[in-house]
Amino acid sequence: MRIVTPRGPALVEVDEAAEPRMLLVLTHGSAGGVDAPDLLAVRDAALGVGATVARVTQPFRVAGARAPGSAVRQDEAWGVVLKKLRARWPDVPLVQGGRSNGARVACRTAKAVGASAVVALAFPLHPPGKPDRSRADELRGAGVDVLVVNGDRDPFGVPDPADAARLVVLPGEGHDLKKDPARVGEVVAEWLSRQM
């Protein structure tokens, strides 16, 4: 599915549950795609608990850019995509999320798009080696419950448990969460089941 935004087209891949109990919208990190191992594992696990899953390639990635540019513009495009998706599935709870930069977008826009919760995979607490440049305010400012799944070897840091409804730190995992993506999916599915 192609959705036109003021920042260019976004591409959406949808996997529908037979009787959806929730709409889960996921997106990628800055330089990645929606086929990242952790996103695919979360998709599969979420389908297993009755969620329809939409994976969104944001306009900046469709255009070939590796960096999202202005947060305001990124969030504006995200809002347009979510409005279209909500129109298609209006009667089930909306949970949104993503990995890394996508987790930041999900936190920043949660209230504006009517999400009931956020799934933040590999939330990039700070740029590598710069703990003084914390992005914890984005987590705290989501205004909804946030599940954070991070690896204990993530060079972007690990958020404080107080800044999320639930923090799961996976031993041996880095920022890509690809050592055991199935475990990431299990953690998310278990949490989603309690949100339905």
Side-chain angles (χ1 to χ4, degrees), residues 69-81:
S70 156
V72 171
R73 291 179 176 160
Q74 186 181 24
D75 294 354
E76 175 191 28
W78 185 255
V80 170
V81 171

Side-chain angles (χ1 to χ4, degrees), residues 7 13 18 31 34 45 47 49 62 71 76-78 93 101 103 113 115 124 129 165 182 186:
R7 304 296 157 205
E13 296 178 47
V34 295
L47 284 166
V49 296
V62 173
E76 175 191 28
W78 185 255
N101 175 266
V113 302
E186 288 166 10

Side-chain angles (χ1 to χ4, degrees), residues 1-194:
M1 173 190 320
R2 187 172 180 271
I3 298 177
V4 176
T5 81
R7 304 296 157 205
L11 300 178
V12 184
E13 296 178 47
V14 177
D15 292 277
E16 290 197 57
E19 295 180 25
R21 300 170 57 204
M22 165 186 293
L23 173 61
L24 174 62
V25 183
L26 298 170
T27 193
H28 49 77
S30 288
V34 295
D35 291 330
D38 56 344
L39 291 178
L40 293 177
V42 167
R43 175 203 61 190
D44 294 346
L47 284 166
V49 296
T52 284
V53 183
R55 291 174 296 133
V56 178
T57 302
Q58 296 177 63
F60 77 93
R61 289 297 290 147
V62 173
R66 292 177 59 84
S70 156
V72 171
R73 291 179 176 160
Q74 186 181 24
D75 294 354
E76 175 191 28
W78 185 255
V80 170
V81 171
L82 268 287
K83 185 174 181 180
K84 293 274 189 192
L85 292 174
R86 279 311 272 159
R88 187 163 168 194
W89 290 279
D91 300 324
V92 293
L94 165 67
V95 175
Q96 66 176 9
R99 64 166 288 99
S100 194
N101 175 266
R104 295 180 65 196
V105 174
C107 287
R108 289 194 307 256
T109 62
K111 291 296 280 183
V113 302
S116 60
V118 168
V119 173
L121 306 175
F123 186 87
L125 183 63
H126 57 72
K130 299 181 180 177
D132 53 311
R133 294 183 47 201
S134 175
R135 299 170 180 139
D137 285 349
E138 291 179 352
L139 265 180
R140 290 190 288 260
V144 298
D145 284 351
V146 180
L147 165 67
V148 177
V149 182
N150 269 60
D152 67 350
R153 297 182 180 175
D154 193 329
F156 289 84
V158 176
D160 189 297
D163 292 335
R166 179 145 200 254
L167 170 67
V168 176
V169 181
L170 300 176
E173 288 281 7
H175 191 63
D176 52 17
L177 296 174
K178 70 178 184 183
K179 284 184 91 169
D180 188 2
R183 179 68 187 126
V184 177
E186 288 166 10
V187 168
V188 173
E190 176 191 341
W191 191 75
L192 290 176
S193 295
R194 295 199 296 266

